[in-house]
């Protein structure tokens, strides 16, 4: 059986959670593509994920942060279970937050133009894809931090996707959800 992990922004397919997923389920194969969040449009990223899912047919997709956002989007074509760990709910606000730590966006016209194009792409993507998602009953579950310092309160996310199967709340783990191994029993593929 195959499992898929979708890493967050600033990470790679070799992320800690991908490796931990393999340790937690050694009898399964874990695929974890490296995504170029800065260089590709959201449509291109989703297309890349669709291709991997079509090739690998994972029974479980797990995504964290920005990877959780895209895992949510995968529910439109993935038939397996999907677990989102502290997923981004408002990509525009998240992109602005990320931009605050990138001084080149204020000093480099080319970088600023690319950022503005990406913002426009995500505005369209939010309307055409993300806000129109309807995961199947029982397909979608969440692992959420009560102390997510980056994304804050996750309750609006649950209101946006009310037909979720499970929600596991953990405290003292922050946005990175450092208590990931504690949800092994809930993640069972």
């Amino acid at each position: 059986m195959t499992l898929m992990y979708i890493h967050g922004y600033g990470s790679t397919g070799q992320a800690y959670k991908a490796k931990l997923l393999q340790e937690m389920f050694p009898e399964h194969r874990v695929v974890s593509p490296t995504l170029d969040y800065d260089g590709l449009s959201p449509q291109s990223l989703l297309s890349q994920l669709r291709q991997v899912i079509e090739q690998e047919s994972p029974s479980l997709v797990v995504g964290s942060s920005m990877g959780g956002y895209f895992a949510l989007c995968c529910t439109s074509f993935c038939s397996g279970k999907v677990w989102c760990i502290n997923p981004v709910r408002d990509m525009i606000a998240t992109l602005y937050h990320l931009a605050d730590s990138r001084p080149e966006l204020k000093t480099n016209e080319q970088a600023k133009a690319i950022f503005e194009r990406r913002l426009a792409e995500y505005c369209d993507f939010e309307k055409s894809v993300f806000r129109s998602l309807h995961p199947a009953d029982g397909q979608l579950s969440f692992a959420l931090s009560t102390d997510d310092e980056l994304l804050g309160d996750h309750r609006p996310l649950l209101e946006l996707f009310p037909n979720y199967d499970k929600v596991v709340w953990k405290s003292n783990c922050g946005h990175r959800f450092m208590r990931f191994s504690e949800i092994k029993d809930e993640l069972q593929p």
Side-chain angles (χ1 to χ4, degrees):
M1 197 176 302
T2 301
L3 313 179
M4 181 175 173
Y5 178 72
I6 306 172
H7 67 83
Y9 184 83
S11 189
T12 70
Q14 300 303 307
Y16 172 73
K17 286 185 187 85
K19 292 176 182 176
L20 191 54
L21 198 59
Q22 185 64 69
E23 289 175 18
M24 290 164 48
F25 301 104
E27 66 280 12
H28 302 299
R29 191 166 83 83
V30 175
V31 295
S32 183
T34 295
L35 302 173
D36 183 2
Y37 290 118
D38 285 324
L40 295 176
S41 71
Q43 288 289 4
S44 295
L45 291 165
L46 192 58
S47 178
Q48 181 180 351
L49 291 168
R50 179 189 291 264
Q51 184 177 22
V52 173
I53 287 171
E54 286 174 356
Q55 289 173 350
E56 303 291 343
S57 299
S59 58
L60 173 67
V61 174
V62 178
S64 183
S65 189
M66 198 174 285
Y69 175 91
F70 280 97
L72 275 162
C73 294
C74 289
T75 62
S76 64
F77 52 80
C78 174
S79 60
K81 290 182 181 181
V82 175
W83 270 86
C84 300
I85 303 167
N86 288 340
V88 168
R89 174 187 52 87
D90 183 345
M91 186 60 81
I92 306 308
T94 300
L95 289 174
Y96 275 117
H97 177 78
L98 291 170
D100 288 343
S101 64
R102 298 179 63 192
E104 72 273 12
L105 295 179
K106 293 181 177 76
T107 59
N108 181 309
E109 288 302 315
Q110 183 178 6
K112 184 178 178 181
I114 291 169
F115 176 74
E116 289 173 358
R117 184 176 72 234
R118 198 65 74 228
L119 274 175
E121 291 168 349
Y122 273 101
C123 282
D124 290 342
F125 188 81
E126 287 267 321
K127 292 175 193 168
S128 65
V129 176
F130 190 75
R131 297 291 172 181
S132 63
L133 290 171
H134 298 288
D137 288 340
Q139 179 184 27
L140 181 62
S141 294
F142 296 100
L144 305 171
S145 297
T146 60
D147 59 341
D148 188 329
E149 73 284 0
L150 183 62
L151 300 177
D153 184 6
H154 289 289
R155 285 176 293 195
L157 173 76
L158 301 178
E159 293 169 10
L160 192 59
F161 300 101
N163 68 330
Y164 57 83
D165 185 37
K166 296 178 189 171
V167 177
V168 175
W169 290 96
K170 293 286 184 184
S171 57
N172 302 315
C173 57
H175 179 68
R176 293 187 184 266
F177 206 90
M178 297 312 291
R179 296 174 65 188
F180 180 65
S181 61
E182 293 178 24
I183 64 171
K184 177 182 178 182
D185 290 341
E186 288 87 354
L187 285 174
Q188 289 295 325

